[in-house]
Structure formats: structure tokens, C-alpha cells
Amino acid sequence: MQDQQLNDWRTYALTLESEVNKVVVGQENPVRLITTAVFARGHVLLEGDVGVGKTTLLRAFTRGIGGGYQRIEGTIDLMPNDLVYHTYLGEDGKPHVSPGPLLMSGQDLSIFFFNEINRARPQVHSLMLRVMAERTLTAFNKEHYFPHMLVFADRNQVEREETFDIPSAARDRFMMEIPIVVPAAHDIMESLIFDTRFHDVDQLISNVPADILKFDQLNSFAKVIQENIQASPALRKYALDLWLATKDPVAYGIKVSNVDMKRLVLSGASPRGMGMLLRAARVNAWLNQRQAVVPEDIHAVFHETIAHRLVFSPVYEMRRTEIARELLTGIINAVAAP
């Protein structure tokens, strides 16, 4: 029965990927990674410039999995209450209160997008992180639940003024950080400019069939994946070696260009991070019709689940993206796979 369930849901997942790829072109790898996060039930940071289609991508996924989509913009004057409720003067001249983005969809909220989260103050981060961890919120003398919610957050990485870096402990709450870049293929770039179907986002997203998946069944099915996709003793030993290498790359002979390796890493991957890595690797194995995790499944999600967790010496933080990619590639190459 479970084998049939795994096969049926894989068909739905691959259909969802295919339909999203039709409306958000040139983003096949991010689409696969977001599909992986959806089935691993992990929150996601998105990395990329403005105007690369992050909102369109998330709205397309929401249409495919069902449930509510809400979004909020990070600003310097945003307060925690702005996530919960709005106050305004009605036509009757009296003050009114209406639900904010976190409450608007109730328990049916499936995807919440926090755009430019690092423009918001730490008090707002604190509320958001608590809701992400507990999926509950107390407001209006009532406990509100968000059992199906996944949070996607984008960071403004260009400007430094009026931004608040997300501390490493907060970054660790996100399963992945997924890069969204402009497609390099010239024919796709030309289509994005001249093909008018990409200019009306609402019309474009309506082309994704609604409710390919059942958002309120994803939590229970995610458990089925984790319980049925196995990891051999050799694979467990391999994952442990990868973890140790993130903590002490010098011990594995790993070098990064123009970096003093003895000063580079202040903190490697956390136990929570490695647990999320294996959750995502199991989903990748399932999507590729495997019954057990192989090293390629770990490699497929290694950078996206580990890079944002590493804590570097402050002198190397400005080169974080470049250094993390070279370091993690070095770890994959240095640690012998079973």
C-alpha cells in the first residue's frame, strides 16, 4: 500500500514540477529544490537579485499544492503586529481591525513569503522565527495554528544601509538557501523580454492546474517518505565524515583560494542542519525512484542545506558566497564516498 502511495505521490510531484517549469522557465534546479523542501517540510531562504521571478515561482507552487498564499514586505518601520493585524478607519468613521497576512488564510495558509526579511528589525525576525518553529500564534485572546505553513524568505544582499543581518542561529532554522539567478540561455532571456505571456503574471500562473497536490496531506505523506527511504551504514558513515569536514576542513586537507584555512571556520554545520540535509536527501532519492539514499542524493542538496549555516571569521564574510561554494565542493571531493 505504501509503495503504491509513494508511486502515486511521486507522479503528482513530478507533474507539479513540470507545470511550474512551463510558467517559470530556465529555473529547473530551483524548482526541483523547492519541490524537495515542500516534501521535506522545510522553510527556505531564497537568494537572488530583484525581478528574477521569486514571487511568480512561489505563487505557481501555491496554485499547484493548494492552500493560501500570503506575502509581506520587510521595511525598516515594520513592527511585529503588522504581521498579525491591520487597523484602519472605516467608512463609518470608526476604527476597525482586520487580520494581517499571517492570519488572513487561517489554518489553510500553505506558503508565506517574507520579501527582504533583513529590512525588518530583529523584533520582527523573532516573531517570524517563533511562528516558523511552533506554527502557532496567540492573538485576539485566541491560539492560531498554521500546521501546513512553509515560510520562504528573501534577503536583500545588495544594500547594507537600513538592513539587519539574520544571525547564524536564525539562518539555521531554514532548511535551505536556494539561489535564483537569471537564466543564461539567450533564447530564454529573449522570451522573457518579448513573449507577452510572461508579462501578465496572474494570467501566467492561471496556466498551472490548481490543486495538483493536497496541501493538508503533505505533513503526513512527508513522514511516509522519511520512514520508507533507507540509509545504509556506509551512507551514515559518509554523512558523518561530511559533517566533521565542515567543522575542521584542515583535517581533511581542504584548501580554498586566498584563505587562511586555520582561521576560516568558526562553526560548522549544526546537528539540526545535518538532520535537515538527510531529510532533503531522502526526498531527492524518492523523487529519483530510489528506495535508499545514495551519495548523489546528498550531493544534490549539500550546498543549499549547509552553506548558509557555516559561520566564517568576520574577515571572510564579505566573500561568503564564493568561499562557501569552493569549501563545500572541496569537502565533496575530499571525503571518500561509499
Side-chain angles (χ1 to χ4, degrees):
M1 180 62 184
Q2 283 188 335
D3 287 346
Q4 186 61 48
Q5 189 181 17
L6 289 165
N7 289 335
D8 289 346
W9 276 79
R10 184 188 301 111
T11 301
Y12 301 145
L14 297 179
T15 301
L16 173 67
E17 276 192 354
S18 173
E19 295 297 332
V20 172
N21 278 322
K22 289 177 185 175
V23 300
V24 186
V25 295
Q27 301 291 353
E28 288 81 3
N29 194 50
V31 168
R32 168 52 60 96
L33 290 167
I34 291 175
T35 303
T36 302
V38 165
F39 281 94
R41 310 308 292 151
H43 307 295
V44 172
L45 283 168
L46 297 176
E47 176 191 12
D49 295 336
V50 297
V52 293
K54 295 188 286 290
T55 302
T56 305
L57 188 57
L58 295 181
R59 288 184 60 192
F61 263 98
T62 308
R63 184 169 170 83
I65 69 174
Y69 167 85
Q70 297 295 334
R71 166 184 169 134
I72 196 167
E73 300 289 330
T75 59
I76 186 75
D77 58 351
L78 189 73
M79 299 300 291
N81 287 345
D82 294 325
L83 276 66
V84 182
Y85 62 83
H86 297 303
T87 58
Y88 62 97
L89 281 177
E91 293 180 354
D92 56 3
K94 297 180 179 178
H96 292 264
V97 179
S98 63
L102 268 177
L103 300 184
M104 205 170 292
S105 297
Q107 292 194 18
D108 289 343
L109 178 61
S110 61
I111 288 185
F112 185 87
F113 181 29
F114 201 136
N115 192 37
E116 297 199 355
I117 190 173
N118 59 340
R119 281 201 181 278
R121 294 179 178 277
Q123 298 94 319
V124 180
H125 298 168
S126 178
L127 173 66
M128 196 71 244
L129 293 169
R130 185 166 67 81
V131 175
M132 285 166 53
E134 301 174 2
R135 289 192 164 89
T136 66
L137 174 70
T138 302
F140 307 116
N141 298 318
K142 180 182 174 184
E143 194 80 357
H144 300 267
Y145 297 92
F146 315 101
H148 312 294
M149 177 187 71
L150 287 184
V151 173
F152 291 76
D154 166 53
R155 285 189 289 169
N156 183 319
Q157 300 192 352
V158 177
E159 296 160 309
R160 292 288 172 186
E161 292 185 2
E162 295 189 343
T163 61
F164 302 87
D165 274 344
I166 304 176
S168 57
R171 294 199 302 267
D172 199 61
R173 306 290 182 89
F174 290 89
M175 170 175 276
M176 294 187 188
E177 182 166 46
I178 300 175
I180 312 287
V181 298
V182 178
H186 286 190
D187 58 332
I188 295 177
M189 295 174 71
E190 185 178 310
S191 293
L192 292 173
I193 299 173
F194 289 100
D195 191 336
T196 54
R197 78 186 183 99
F198 294 116
H199 300 170
D200 185 339
V201 174
D202 291 336
Q203 179 65 38
L204 183 66
I205 291 171
S206 70
N207 293 322
V208 177
D211 303 333
I212 299 170
L213 298 173
K214 305 294 183 187
F215 75 97
D216 54 357
Q217 296 178 15
L218 284 168
N219 286 335
S220 57
F221 181 68
K223 291 181 181 176
V224 174
I225 296 175
Q226 297 301 317
E227 290 169 357
N228 282 272
I229 305 300
Q230 305 300 315
S232 68
L235 192 284
R236 291 168 186 253
K237 171 70 168 53
Y238 179 58
L240 180 61
D241 286 340
L242 291 175
W243 186 12
L244 295 174
T246 69
K247 295 175 174 295
D248 187 5
V250 175
Y252 290 79
I254 298 161
K255 297 180 180 177
V256 176
S257 308
N258 303 316
V259 168
D260 180 353
M261 294 302 295
K262 293 181 179 177
R263 298 177 57 201
L264 174 61
V265 176
L266 296 182
S267 177
S270 65
R272 174 167 48 201
M274 291 304 294
M276 288 183 174
L277 170 70
L278 267 298
R279 275 169 54 191
R282 280 191 167 95
V283 173
N284 192 74
W286 166 69
L287 287 171
N288 287 284
Q289 303 186 44
R290 285 191 276 273
Q291 300 296 318
V293 179
V294 298
E296 287 76 8
D297 296 316
I298 293 180
H299 300 169
V301 295
F302 189 60
H303 183 271
E304 287 76 12
T305 53
I306 299 300
H308 64 287
R309 298 190 150 83
L310 302 178
V311 181
F312 294 153
S313 297
V315 68
Y316 295 118
E317 275 296 330
M318 291 297 288
R319 295 172 53 204
R320 158 171 283 279
T321 301
E322 165 200 348
I323 290 175
R325 184 160 293 281
E326 190 171 345
L327 173 65
L328 295 177
T329 300
I331 289 174
I332 292 292
N333 292 334
V335 177

